[in-house]
Amino acid sequence: MQRIEQLKLELSKAIKESPEYIEYKRLEAIIDKDPNLKRSIDEFRRQKFLIYRIVVRLMIYLPHRRDLNNRYADMRRQDMVNRYLLSEVCLCRMVQDICRTVVETIEFDVDFLNN
């Protein structure tokens, strides 16, 4: 277990030193300076997460995503907002890829999630 703990710390450090994380944190610091914008972005992220989590199982995700994007169109027109949201997606994909690699490598059965 000590080896795993060490590797977790090394992985966390590697993630924090990655260009994806550095860009995400840089943009986050800029966004955090505007509390109203931060609130709007967080609400957009929350709604997007809820739509994806709940609706995607019903296979009607696209119309809800369009509606969400339309409601937040003014905010999304800001270059900084789009770069921030994109950097978040890049960071999330990197972490998902790490998780996927670990799960596949250790042959951990997660097939039940697909039902």
Side-chain angles (χ1 to χ4, degrees), residues 56-115:
V56 87
R57 296 184 187 277
L58 302 174
M59 302 305 285
I60 54 174
Y61 175 67
L62 193 56
H64 290 279
R65 191 177 86 190
R66 277 192 209 121
D67 178 56
L68 180 65
N69 284 330
N70 288 338
R71 282 188 282 145
Y72 287 90
D74 289 340
M75 180 190 74
R76 296 291 311 271
R77 284 190 193 97
Q78 297 179 50
D79 182 57
M80 183 62 62
V81 171
N82 283 321
R83 290 189 353 224
Y84 172 71
L85 293 171
L86 181 59
S87 73
E88 179 183 53
V89 168
C90 290
L91 179 61
C92 287
R93 285 185 179 152
M94 180 178 60
V95 172
Q96 287 172 335
D97 187 50
I98 291 167
C99 292
R100 189 177 306 108
T101 299
V102 170
V103 168
E104 288 172 357
T105 304
I106 64 171
E107 298 177 17
F108 187 70
D109 180 14
V110 291
D111 289 342
F112 67 93
L113 295 173
N114 296 324
N115 295 328

Side-chain angles (χ1 to χ4, degrees), residues 3-51:
R3 172 99 169 110
I4 291 173
E5 291 301 318
Q6 180 60 37
L7 289 171
K8 286 185 341 187
L9 292 174
E10 289 176 30
L11 180 57
S12 293
K13 184 176 186 241
I15 290 170
K16 288 180 179 179
E17 293 172 351
S18 73
E20 294 86 352
Y21 184 80
I22 291 168
E23 179 67 357
Y24 172 76
K25 293 305 283 182
R26 183 185 75 77
L27 294 168
E28 180 183 57
I30 294 169
I31 297 296
D32 284 347
K33 291 178 182 175
D34 185 339
N36 291 329
L37 181 59
K38 173 72 170 149
R39 242 185 322 277
S40 290
I41 290 172
D42 285 348
E43 183 58 27
F44 173 79
R45 292 165 66 214
R46 187 175 10 272
Q47 292 296 322
K48 188 173 181 178
F49 175 80
L50 290 173
I51 287 170

